[in-house]
């Protein structure tokens, strides 16, 4: 399970996004568990989503827009900042008025076999939330499809790959995202925020695609 939104802020849709501590491998199981719980918290997801869509906000703005108290939004903002999912905007903050923005998000979930029971439960809960959102996005893409020149696009395929081929493909996919994405502070005219998803899984033989392996 990988989440990432290169150069943009938000939650991984239900939102979209945060720059993780140096490298994922440096995170402990407890830190990853806390991360998954934060990303699985409904209000924190809404806060990250709002920041991703609007760029910045303070606790008062978020309280008004999300229907919460400023004390509640302030508490969750501090918790998100502790995990480096958001950062304060120094030039706009003063006294008790603190403004916040998201950080770019990139995180790769480790092998479930290496997780503690609590970490796995938190990761599984987050994954189920994302599946619900991704399902709605998949339906929208089909409903809003207006041909190959439209904003909504759908691609589905099955092909033969070695594991090395698949890993090379994933790396190339990430490079394409970097090549065609624009940072928040340099969005060209006519650009829209686009939600993309990538999945790959070996055929199990029950998807109607025939045999699952082939000797050569």
């Amino acid at each position: 399970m990988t989440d990432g939104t290169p150069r943009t802020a938000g939650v991984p849709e239900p939102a979209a996004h945060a720059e993780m501590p140096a490298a994922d491998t440096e995170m402990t199981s407890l830190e990853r568990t806390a991360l998954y719980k934060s990303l699985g918290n409904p209000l924190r997801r809404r806060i990250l989503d709002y920041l991703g869509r609007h760029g910045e906000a303070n606790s008062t703005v978020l309280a008004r827009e999300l229907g919460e108290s400023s004390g509640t939004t302030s508490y969750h903002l501090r918790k998100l900042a502790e995990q480096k999912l958001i950062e304060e905007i120094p030039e706009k903050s003063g006294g008790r008025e603190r403004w916040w923005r998201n950080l770019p998000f990139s995180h790769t979930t480790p092998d479930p076999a290496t997780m503690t029971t609590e970490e796995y439960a938190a990761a599984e809960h987050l994954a189920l939330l994302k599946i619900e959102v991704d399902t709605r996005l998949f339906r929208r893409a089909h409903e809003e499809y207006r041909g190959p020149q439209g904003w909504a696009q759908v691609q589905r395929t099955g092909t033969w790959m070695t594991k090395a081929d698949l890993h090379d493909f994933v790396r190339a996919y990430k490079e394409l995202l970097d090549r065609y994405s624009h940072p928040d502070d340099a969005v060209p005219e006519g650009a829209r925020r686009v939600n993309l998803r990538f999945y790959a899984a070996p055929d199990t033989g029950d998807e109607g695609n025939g045999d699952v392996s082939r000797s050569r």
Side-chain angles (χ1 to χ4, degrees):
M1 174 168 56
T2 302
D3 276 317
T5 52
R7 303 193 186 126
T8 43
V11 192
E13 169 86 23
H17 339 206
E19 183 130 58
M20 299 307 304
D24 293 335
T25 54
E26 296 180 7
M27 296 183 71
T28 65
S29 176
L30 286 176
E31 290 171 334
R32 289 193 300 269
T33 301
L35 171 68
Y36 303 149
K37 287 183 177 180
S38 274
L39 293 178
N41 179 284
L43 180 54
R44 292 183 191 178
R45 294 188 74 85
R46 294 172 65 203
I47 290 174
L48 290 171
D49 187 56
Y50 184 91
L51 291 175
R53 296 178 188 280
H54 299 278
E56 58 187 40
N58 60 21
S59 59
T60 303
V61 170
L62 288 168
R64 181 183 69 242
E65 295 298 320
L66 304 182
E68 301 285 343
S69 71
S70 59
T72 297
T73 55
S74 179
Y75 168 80
H76 286 287
L77 283 166
R78 291 195 302 272
K79 291 300 181 181
L80 290 169
E82 289 174 6
Q83 293 181 307
K84 303 188 185 303
L85 292 167
I86 65 174
E87 67 176 359
E88 189 175 352
I89 306 175
E91 60 271 24
K92 293 199 65 173
S93 299
R96 300 181 65 180
E97 183 89 348
R98 305 178 71 185
W99 286 77
W100 303 88
R101 61 190 168 207
N102 280 346
L103 290 166
F105 178 88
S106 181
H107 174 70
T108 301
T109 306
D111 182 349
T114 67
M115 293 180 176
T116 64
T117 301
E118 185 180 11
E119 180 184 354
Y120 182 83
E124 183 179 42
H125 173 70
L126 177 59
L128 291 175
L129 290 176
K130 291 186 292 185
I131 287 172
E132 292 179 6
V133 173
D134 292 351
T135 299
R136 292 197 296 269
L137 181 63
F138 180 73
R139 291 183 180 277
R140 270 193 51 222
H142 279 279
E143 292 167 357
E144 298 176 13
Y145 180 73
R146 297 296 181 270
Q149 303 305 315
W151 276 102
Q153 296 293 313
V154 178
Q155 293 289 326
R156 300 176 72 251
T157 189
T159 189
W160 294 94
M161 287 185 178
T162 64
K163 186 183 289 187
D165 292 334
L166 176 60
H167 293 175
D168 287 342
F169 184 90
V170 173
R171 280 189 288 270
Y173 171 78
K174 292 178 180 178
E175 291 171 0
L176 282 172
L177 286 178
D178 288 339
R179 184 188 308 173
Y180 291 103
S181 298
H182 300 284
D184 287 346
D185 58 359
V187 178
E189 185 177 353
R192 295 177 62 182
R193 178 175 168 182
V194 178
N195 295 313
L196 299 96
R197 298 292 185 270
F198 169 76
Y199 301 103
D203 189 350
T204 61
D206 58 3
E207 286 93 352
N209 294 323
D211 294 336
V212 299
S213 63
R214 179 177 298 174
S215 299
R216 295 185 182 277

